[in-house]
Amino acid sequence: MTKLYAIYGASGCGRSLMLVARQQLARESDVSENQTSEIVFIDDALTEIIDINGHRAMNYAAFVNEPAESKAVQIAIANSRVREKIANTLEADGISLWSISADNVILMDDVQIAEGSALSPFVTITSNIKIGKCFHANLYSYVEHDCVIGDFVTFAPGVKCNGNIHIQDHAYIGAGAMIKQGTPNQPLVIGKGAIVGMGAVVTKSVPAGVTVVGNPARILKQK
Ligand code: UDP
């Protein structure tokens, strides 16, 4: 029987993570097992099974109905609330979250990452770092020493997350943003659900739920 893997979401995020999924599967596969495996797309906008970039693509109901020895899913959707909702559905259906990592990702010492992460090409995660569920680190992002990152956190490409930074659940860090390092006694904290705008230079802690932009990053007032 086939081991079935899926990338959930066939839009930009999902299609750009499919190569990473293939690299992950190639590393996981044990040729001696003599087993077949397939990676498909899941996207709920689909009403029939089609081909996307050489992979079968189907909606979630069709995926659940596919015969397979095991199923594992990478939720490749940038919106963290959607990732959480889908993660809960998968858990209720007994389908595991699949962590995928590009071949050239560098993980240094004592890096703990919970299930469901997606680490894109050129991501570097240094030492003594703890990261929660369904973390997305897009192209060229890095996480420096002694950071603690919560669940469903999203890094767009090129995020520079320096040492001793704590990022709480559902925070979104925009492309090219850089966050100043904290200290062991006083980490810089990005609060729950906060959004850091692209290119922002974050020099101090950011409260939960706000959006910060600019250099130095300041809270964007809601109009
Ligand atoms: N999607 C889905 N199920 C959901 C929510 C979203 O299959 O419950 C799909 C949606 O149809 C779309 C993709 O996820 O194809 C999200 O794509 P979008 O362009 O919004 O964002 P990105 O690819 O950047 O995450």
Side-chain angles (χ1 to χ4, degrees):
M1 268 264 248
T2 308
K3 286 188 173 182
L4 195 58
Y5 296 85
I7 290 287
Y8 206 133
S11 189
C13 181
R15 280 180 284 111
S16 61
L17 279 170
M18 185 52 99
L19 168 82
V20 176
R22 289 197 293 266
Q23 291 184 341
Q24 178 70 37
L25 186 57
R27 267 183 277 117
E28 281 179 19
S29 294
D30 179 353
V31 278
S32 64
E33 274 181 18
N34 201 17
Q35 218 154 24
T36 55
S37 49
E38 180 187 3
I39 314 176
V40 300
F41 283 108
I42 303 170
D43 199 295
D44 294 309
L46 297 171
T47 51
E48 56 183 340
I49 299 181
I50 61 168
D51 177 282
I52 297 179
N53 295 347
H55 294 266
R56 289 195 302 142
M58 61 194 74
N59 61 32
Y60 182 66
F63 176 77
V64 168
N65 283 333
E66 283 280 317
E69 179 200 322
S70 64
K71 292 180 184 174
V73 175
Q74 160 59 223
I75 310 166
I77 295 175
N79 183 318
S80 69
R81 298 286 167 191
V82 175
R83 288 212 296 286
E84 183 173 33
K85 185 193 81 176
I86 292 174
N88 290 338
T89 303
L90 292 170
E91 193 183 341
D93 291 343
I95 298 173
S96 24
L97 293 171
W98 187 31
S99 295
I100 64 172
S101 173
D103 281 346
N104 67 358
V105 163
I106 296 175
L107 302 179
M108 298 186 187
D109 294 323
D110 186 24
V111 174
Q112 298 171 46
I113 310 182
E115 65 276 18
S117 61
L119 307 181
S120 290
F122 302 101
V123 163
T124 299
I125 300 185
T126 71
S127 64
N128 306 97
I129 289 161
K130 195 166 183 293
I131 299 177
K133 254 169 125 167
C134 294
F135 176 56
H136 272 199
N138 215 320
L139 306 170
Y140 294 98
S141 290
Y142 72 73
V143 181
E144 255 283 23
H145 64 89
D146 300 298
C147 285
V148 179
I149 295 180
D151 293 331
F152 305 104
V153 169
T154 311
F155 282 12
V159 168
K160 296 171 166 50
C161 176
N162 291 297
N164 286 302
I165 291 168
H166 290 191
I167 302 185
Q168 298 176 348
D169 299 350
H170 289 285
Y172 178 91
I173 317 296
M178 55 181 104
I179 310 172
K180 187 182 178 184
Q181 69 178 40
T183 63
N185 293 335
Q186 206 167 359
L188 188 150
V189 178
I190 307 287
K192 185 172 179 179
I195 297 172
V196 174
M198 66 170 82
V201 178
V202 179
T203 56
K204 54 184 197 215
S205 291
V206 173
V210 305
T211 298
V212 295
V213 295
N215 176 11
R218 293 194 172 88
I219 295 176
L220 188 66
K221 299 263 184 313
Q222 302 290 337
K223 288 200 177 125

